Amino acid sequence: MNIIGKRFSPDEFWGYAAQTIGEASWKGSFVVLHNTGSPTLAQRPSGLTSEHITNLRLYYEDLGWHAGPHLFIDQNGIWVFSPLTAPGVHSPSWNHVSYGVEQLGDFDREAYTSGPGALVRANAISALAALHHAACIDSATLKLHRMDPKTTHRDCPGAHCADEFEQIMRDVHAAVVAREQV
Ligand SMILES: [Zn+2]
């Protein structure tokens, strides 16, 4: 499996996404938001490491997948996992038309608007804004994994994240507008 395996700050990711997606022949039409469930934030108090990312690659390879989600968001930034230039594997109905964004945490049980969950949320907003801007996506098209009629992950991305769905779309839109005015 070909992965990028590199962590970016939100500022770095804005430039990376613009350049990478700008040159890509495939583009996603919308973003699907996930949570890892396991590992939890409590299990990764310092976020993900390169070794964790390698282990995720091995996990997906064992499943026989050719790719995984495009991004993993943690407390520290934005990990690019599968290349943004091709479809990933993360949501059965939507793999071929969407970007998959995983957020570290179990947001059925862990907070999303305070503590480390709030750091993940903020980095996710930045990552989503960069993707929406680079691929010319309207923030109103954002989807949660559990909205996929074919998925068995009926809880993803967790209740505390799902409760924020409308606000996330507003925040992504505001973040895109703020960037475009710079
Ligand atoms: Zn999911």
Side-chain angles (χ1 to χ4, degrees):
M1 183 184 295
N2 172 36
I3 67 164
I4 305 299
K6 193 163 179 271
R7 192 181 79 198
F8 296 85
S9 71
D11 273 349
E12 291 167 341
F13 184 70
W14 185 270
Y16 175 83
Q19 182 182 3
T20 310
I21 292 173
E23 295 167 353
S25 54
W26 175 88
K27 287 184 176 61
S29 301
F30 54 89
V31 176
V32 183
L33 199 55
H34 302 260
N35 77 165
T36 56
S38 173
T40 64
L41 280 164
Q43 289 170 324
R44 299 282 184 270
S46 304
L48 299 169
T49 64
S50 293
E51 190 179 358
H52 293 139
I53 296 294
T54 298
N55 288 337
L56 285 163
R57 176 174 62 78
L58 297 171
Y59 170 75
Y60 291 127
E61 284 176 353
D62 278 349
L63 293 177
W65 294 9
H66 76 281
H70 294 95
L71 304 180
F72 279 86
I73 313 293
D74 69 8
Q75 305 93 309
N76 305 313
I78 299 155
W79 288 91
V80 178
F81 191 75
S82 285
L84 296 173
T85 51
V89 176
H90 57 92
S91 191
S93 298
W94 297 329
N95 284 328
H96 291 285
V97 290
S98 68
Y99 300 103
V101 175
E102 285 279 356
Q103 303 171 99
L104 175 63
D106 175 357
F107 296 119
D108 273 326
R109 290 182 290 169
E110 298 184 300
Y112 188 62
T113 54
S114 62
L119 300 176
V120 172
R121 186 190 188 284
N123 286 333
I125 297 294
S126 295
L128 293 176
L131 288 177
H132 283 72
H133 172 77
C136 298
I137 298 171
D138 189 317
S139 58
T141 63
L142 183 68
K143 297 192 173 34
L144 306 178
H145 188 193
R146 67 185 191 181
M147 294 161 65
D148 180 344
K150 287 190 189 163
T151 190
T152 57
H153 295 196
R154 304 314 317 172
D155 298 327
C156 184
H160 297 139
C161 177
D163 286 347
E164 285 283 294
F165 183 43
E166 301 284 332
Q167 189 60 47
I168 291 167
M169 286 191 281
R170 284 193 291 270
D171 289 355
V172 168
H173 179 72
V176 172
V177 169
R179 279 285 188 162
E180 288 174 347
Q181 287 171 342
V182 169

